[in-house]
Amino acid sequence: IVDTYNAKNKKLEMAIQVPPLLKSYLPISIISSIAFANQGNNTWILNNFIQLFIPEGKEKLESFPFQDFMYYDQNIFQVNNVNDNNHFFSPDNIIDEIIYWLDHNNYLVVYADEYEIPDARNYKYYHILHSQFIYGYDYDLQLFFSVNFLKDESIGKFKISFDDLKSAIFAESTQKLFAESASWHNRNTLHEIILIRYLPDREAFYDHGINKEYILNEINNYYKSYNSSNFSGYFTGKLRGTWGLNVYSAIINILEKKPQLLDYRMFHLLYEHKYYMIERLTLFEISSKSTEELKDVFKSTSTLRLLCIKYNFRPNEAILRKMIHILQNIRNKEINILSELTHKYC
């Protein structure tokens, strides 16, 4: 417990890329933004944002490693989960502790009821236990620097006063949401702060660069719809669900149920996935025909995003049929593209 702490800085802003390069889900936005800001390139995204996955029993598209594993130790990150099981939280010293962690090069993910966070998307609108990403402070103005979803649904920077963040962390509504939380990492605690520390000085045998061998491996898993968790079980266990190119059939099944509302994040994730797949495949020699086909696939995912918005504004079966047709075409084109790549390199 920190009783009193004299801040090392009057003002501290740690490196962060805003707007983030990946926007589909906040955890991957945060990790990729820290990596890009510190490395100055897309290496983390190119090495990791490859496999796609829909967990068993859910209708939510994820990349793999997915959100549950973003806040784990990684090649370039040390991650610590601070909660009631390993730390005593007190309103008297929480601000000093947060400043101490920031001063020692930890980015923070603070969980609280977003209803209590001014300028956040759900402020005074909806009670939800959500992460607040903190990357610095201004001690004189008594403000923390944060990144989150804003009122206009974009991801951007804003400021939270010391008092507002403290009040949100210890609000009765936050405690109630923690008690009701179904999220595995929020269970059995009423407070949670995740510390993320970028590690630029790992030992020499840790390679921070592009890992072409691993990229090819994961592309092959994606192409053949293999369960990638079978190769990462030491960290993830075996994860049941739909993998790789098979996710297109699962998404089509969702659309065929004619839902009242479509999850836009699903189609935005496909859009981002194809955007970086184009860059990723420049690492290898593929035909100009495959390159052009992949660019067509990317354009198709942009169309899917627009159709999703149109459908959510006014549900229409004709839109669903068009989306299904596009998804089938995307899958067929990706089979052709990745067949060439895997036959040549794998």
Side-chain angles (χ1 to χ4, degrees):
I1 299 169
V2 178
D3 294 322
T4 57
Y5 173 68
N6 294 319
K8 287 184 177 181
N9 308 279
K10 288 290 185 182
K11 185 176 181 180
L12 172 69
E13 288 190 66
M14 299 173 71
I16 186 70
Q17 169 63 33
V18 178
L21 302 179
L22 297 175
K23 303 180 182 71
S24 44
Y25 298 110
L26 196 58
I28 195 169
S29 296
I30 289 170
I31 292 295
S32 61
S33 294
I34 296 171
F36 182 85
N38 284 280
Q39 294 181 308
N41 55 52
N42 293 334
T43 297
W44 187 91
I45 294 175
L46 296 179
N47 280 340
N48 292 284
F49 192 57
I50 304 170
Q51 178 65 291
L52 297 180
F53 168 60
I54 296 179
E56 185 178 82
K58 295 187 177 182
E59 295 185 343
K60 183 177 183 181
L61 181 66
E62 302 262 15
S63 59
F64 181 82
F66 64 107
Q67 293 183 76
D68 287 356
F69 302 101
M70 285 298 102
Y71 300 147
Y72 270 33
D73 281 353
Q74 300 178 35
N75 180 16
I76 57 172
F77 294 111
Q78 180 185 59
V79 180
N80 292 288
N81 185 312
V82 182
N83 58 65
D84 290 333
N85 298 299
N86 56 28
H87 185 75
F88 177 74
F89 285 82
S90 167
D92 295 334
N93 53 35
I94 189 65
I95 299 304
D96 280 344
E97 290 184 313
I98 290 174
I99 292 171
Y100 178 88
W101 288 322
L102 289 166
D103 275 347
H104 289 80
N105 302 316
N106 293 282
Y107 298 86
L108 272 65
V109 178
V110 179
Y111 285 88
D113 182 3
E114 199 165 273
Y115 186 90
E116 304 292 341
I117 304 289
D119 295 324
R121 175 175 52 181
N122 292 295
Y123 178 61
K124 299 304 180 188
Y125 170 71
Y126 184 69
H127 290 283
I128 181 172
L129 187 63
H130 201 266
S131 56
Q132 312 301 317
F133 177 60
I134 309 294
Y135 66 94
Y137 64 86
D138 187 315
Y139 199 82
D140 289 338
L141 296 179
Q142 300 280 285
L143 295 171
F144 289 116
F145 302 130
S146 182
V147 173
N148 207 336
F149 287 100
L150 306 178
K151 292 286 187 182
D152 64 0
E153 299 293 329
S154 67
I155 299 177
K157 294 180 177 180
F158 67 105
K159 299 178 179 68
I160 309 173
S161 75
F162 289 2
D163 286 342
D164 282 337
L165 185 61
K166 178 169 70 173
S167 295
I169 291 170
F170 294 98
E172 286 186 19
S173 59
T174 295
Q175 316 296 293
K176 184 173 183 290
L177 289 166
F178 265 111
E180 296 170 350
S181 176
S183 174
W184 66 269
H185 65 87
N186 292 140
R187 291 175 184 164
N188 303 316
T189 187
L190 298 180
H191 311 89
E192 183 175 25
I193 297 176
I194 293 171
L195 313 182
I196 304 169
R197 193 161 183 264
Y198 175 69
L199 301 173
D201 300 319
R202 297 293 293 269
E203 293 180 74
F205 59 83
Y206 285 91
D207 188 349
H208 292 181
I210 294 288
N211 187 337
K212 291 176 69 173
E213 185 178 358
Y214 177 78
I215 289 171
L216 281 170
N217 221 21
E218 277 298 84
I219 287 175
N220 190 53
N221 289 339
Y222 172 72
Y223 167 59
K224 295 180 178 176
S225 298
Y226 289 162
N227 184 334
S228 287
S229 73
N230 287 332
F231 310 100
S232 62
Y234 180 84
F235 300 100
T236 64
K238 184 179 176 70
L239 300 168
R240 295 184 300 275
T242 303
W243 294 84
L245 289 173
N246 284 345
V247 300
Y248 292 110
S249 296
I251 295 170
I252 289 170
N253 288 338
I254 294 170
L255 299 183
E256 287 176 339
K257 295 177 184 177
K258 303 172 187 176
Q260 282 298 108
L261 192 69
L262 296 176
D263 187 349
Y264 176 80
R265 298 172 301 178
M266 183 185 309
F267 303 102
H268 187 73
L269 192 152
L270 286 176
Y271 171 84
E272 292 181 331
H273 185 260
K274 307 318 166 196
Y275 180 88
Y276 287 104
M277 191 62 83
I278 291 172
E279 182 177 349
R280 190 177 289 116
L281 292 192
T282 62
L283 300 170
F284 308 98
E285 293 182 8
I286 61 170
S287 67
S288 58
K289 180 185 176 183
S290 289
T291 301
E292 291 306 310
E293 277 199 325
L294 188 54
K295 289 178 181 177
D296 287 342
V297 165
F298 173 64
K299 291 176 185 176
S300 295
T301 59
S302 183
T303 302
L304 281 174
R305 293 193 309 169
L306 294 173
L307 289 171
C308 175
I309 292 170
K310 287 179 67 174
Y311 181 86
N312 286 343
F313 179 72
R314 184 173 295 173
N316 182 307
E317 284 189 38
I319 294 175
L320 292 178
R321 287 195 297 273
K322 189 170 184 179
M323 294 178 77
I324 289 170
H325 179 70
I326 291 172
L327 286 164
Q328 290 169 337
N329 282 341
I330 287 174
R331 184 179 186 276
N332 291 336
K333 286 183 178 180
E334 281 200 280
I335 287 172
N336 292 334
I337 297 163
L338 299 180
S339 173
E340 177 193 336
L341 182 73
T342 54
H343 286 160
K344 185 172 185 178
Y345 287 99
C346 297

